Amino acid sequence: MSERMKLYDNHGRVINYVRLAVTDRCNLRCFYCMPEEGIDFVPRPMLMTYEEMLRMMRALAQVGIEKVRITGGEPFVRKDLMLLLRGLAETEGIKTINLTTNGTLTAPFVPELKALGIKSVNLSLDTLDPKRFYEVTRRDEFDKVWRTFELLLKHDIKVKINSVVMEGKNDADLIPMVELTKNYPVSVRFIEEMPFNGGEAHENHWHWRRILGKIKEFYPETYKIQDEPHSTSYNYAIPNHSGTVGIIAAYSRTFCGTCNRIRITPQGVLRTCLYDNGVMNLKDMMREGATDEQLQIALQDALNNRAKDGFEAESRRFMGLPASESMTTIGG
Ligand code: SAM
Ligand code: SF4
């Protein structure tokens, strides 16, 4: 059997993972992500269609992309999401499909996610307290997220909980979230707050070392475990806990050296780093008649000029302006 092609960037990093944001719309308004009034959402004709996404993923899989994560906005807000997931499951070369979801609309689809071979879902949940959930997301939907959590576990789908740590908002939840790993076989990952909130002032008060310090204060026996290759999280275990704890230094940007991912926004913009502001529009290329080969060459050209880390990517942004757009436009 012939060896599969591999994509590399100009820093010798292998690129085999796409994060595909299928919509910028969302039914929650997490305050670290989007202003209460929302943002100027992308007009529908400017969104990539599912056909375009599948064609693009076929072309990218031919040159070495093996893993795709569906994100958004909230993926399940987009109509007929399962059509896309079914198409991806049949795409040659795509070995892993994962999903990041807020869990509010996900529950009815869990059995089919399982049937499609989706083995792991990232569930965003910043608090276990319904009142605080409302304060963070501006919506009263905690019970639905919890139902999704239970259903995913029941279907033996691995759950990684994403939890952004915010001063004065949910820092009281940090230890209860760790406590969750005692009886549930989940990975709870704490994320440093990033500036992608749609223009509000930003300050990250919870550096990853402070998060780790807090966990160790309560669980002194916490110990480091092996991180998966290309992992963005530092991972830890606590004796007698069924799950594990991770910390994602997303603002400190400590993981760039092994970054294997690219991002594609709902309107088809390629971002070779979370912190850049887009390097080309693949949807426009497709609509202008580009062949698969032209898409593949354009991707390689972009990777030949990839920033070495998130700091360099941010410094190269349009007019040097810092990142502040809503994460719902990028997908995390
Ligand atoms: N709506 C889905 C969800 O919430 O899981 C998927 C999209 S959401 C933009 C993807 C991830 O980005 C979520 O886990 C969310 O917590 C994270 N996120 C959003 N804004 C962030 C910020 N300013 N700093 C750190 N993480 C953020
Ligand atoms: Fe929606 Fe996810 Fe952003 Fe929250 S983090 S507002 S759920 S897109």
Side-chain angles (χ1 to χ4, degrees):
M1 219 169 73
S2 70
E3 181 111 333
R4 281 206 69 199
M5 269 190 81
K6 282 195 171 168
L7 272 174
Y8 290 94
D9 72 5
N10 48 327
H11 304 282
R13 293 173 291 201
V14 74
I15 306 295
N16 56 11
Y17 171 20
V18 169
R19 296 180 62 103
L20 178 59
V22 297
T23 178
D24 59 344
R25 289 166 200 257
C26 188
N27 56 339
L28 300 186
R29 288 288 180 277
C30 305
F31 88 97
Y32 49 77
C33 178
M34 231 202 297
E36 186 157 17
E37 65 280 10
I39 55 167
D40 289 334
F41 294 108
V42 177
R44 282 176 211 280
M46 286 171 68
L47 291 175
M48 264 195 292
T49 63
Y50 289 152
E51 289 74 21
E52 287 168 334
M53 290 179 196
L54 288 170
R55 183 210 152 175
M56 182 188 69
M57 289 309 304
R58 271 195 302 276
L60 301 188
Q62 283 166 9
V63 289
I65 297 298
E66 309 180 319
K67 173 174 169 184
V68 57
R69 173 174 299 281
I70 300 303
T71 176
E74 171 48 37
F76 286 97
V77 161
R78 183 130 180 201
K79 199 162 164 263
D80 296 330
L81 179 73
M82 297 313 288
L83 290 178
L84 175 70
L85 296 180
R86 286 175 209 142
L88 286 171
E90 286 171 7
T91 301
E92 203 179 326
I94 298 297
K95 296 182 188 157
T96 310
I97 306 168
N98 288 334
L99 198 67
T100 300
T101 174
N102 67 28
T104 55
L105 306 167
T106 319
F109 304 100
V110 170
E112 192 176 355
L113 296 180
K114 176 76 183 174
L116 287 175
I118 293 178
K119 295 193 175 60
S120 173
V121 167
N122 287 8
L123 187 64
S124 299
L125 184 61
D126 306 304
T127 172
L128 297 173
D129 178 86
K131 191 167 158 280
R132 267 205 290 275
F133 182 94
Y134 179 79
E135 286 164 14
V136 171
T137 67
R138 301 174 174 123
R139 299 289 186 271
D140 188 13
E141 303 273 5
F142 175 83
D143 292 349
K144 290 183 188 153
V145 183
W146 192 255
R147 165 119 184 91
T148 296
F149 172 68
E150 290 181 324
L151 264 182
L152 288 167
L153 291 181
K154 191 172 152 213
H155 285 79
D156 204 19
I157 295 177
K158 190 171 164 189
V159 178
K160 295 183 182 176
I161 293 183
N162 286 349
S163 193
V164 181
V165 188
M166 298 155 285
E167 181 83 355
K169 279 273 184 192
N170 71 339
D171 40 6
D173 287 286
L174 209 149
I175 297 307
M177 293 296 290
V178 176
E179 196 66 33
L180 197 63
T181 66
K182 195 169 176 48
N183 296 319
Y184 292 97
V186 296
S187 165
V188 172
R189 291 125 40 96
F190 297 106
I191 309 178
E192 288 179 348
E193 186 179 349
M194 294 181 271
F196 298 99
N197 59 21
E200 304 290 322
H202 166 262
E203 206 176 336
N204 174 43
H205 295 272
W206 283 87
H207 185 273
W208 71 269
R209 286 188 198 282
R210 184 176 173 208
I211 299 173
L212 181 59
K214 183 81 178 173
I215 297 169
K216 286 194 166 170
E217 197 183 310
F218 277 79
Y219 298 99
E221 65 285 28
T222 301
Y223 63 96
K224 182 84 188 70
I225 54 173
Q226 180 77 43
D227 302 327
E228 284 168 20
H230 311 287
S231 171
T232 52
S233 52
Y234 302 122
N235 296 286
Y236 301 87
I238 299 169
N240 303 317
H241 281 223
S242 341
T244 58
V245 176
I247 308 176
I248 303 182
Y251 187 58
S252 307
R253 292 162 248 189
T254 54
F255 42 65
C256 302
T258 57
C259 179
N260 63 339
R261 64 199 61 193
I262 54 175
R263 294 172 164 78
I264 297 171
T265 72
Q267 63 270 54
V269 173
L270 170 70
R271 296 173 81 125
T272 57
C273 173
L274 173 59
Y275 283 87
D276 73 33
N277 56 357
V279 296
M280 67 176 64
N281 190 316
L282 295 166
K283 175 206 73 208
D284 289 351
M285 286 183 68
M286 287 190 279
R287 289 190 187 174
E288 283 156 16
T291 61
D292 286 357
E293 198 188 353
Q294 284 167 330
L295 293 177
Q296 293 158 350
I297 290 171
L299 172 62
Q300 185 62 69
D301 283 348
L303 292 177
N304 290 344
N305 187 31
R306 192 169 183 236
K308 76 172 187 307
D309 58 27
F311 295 101
E312 188 185 350
E314 193 171 10
S315 74
R316 287 190 196 173
R317 286 169 71 98
F318 181 64
M319 306 218 323
L321 293 170
S324 68
E325 65 272 35
S326 167
M327 192 69 97
T328 196
T329 64
I330 315 169

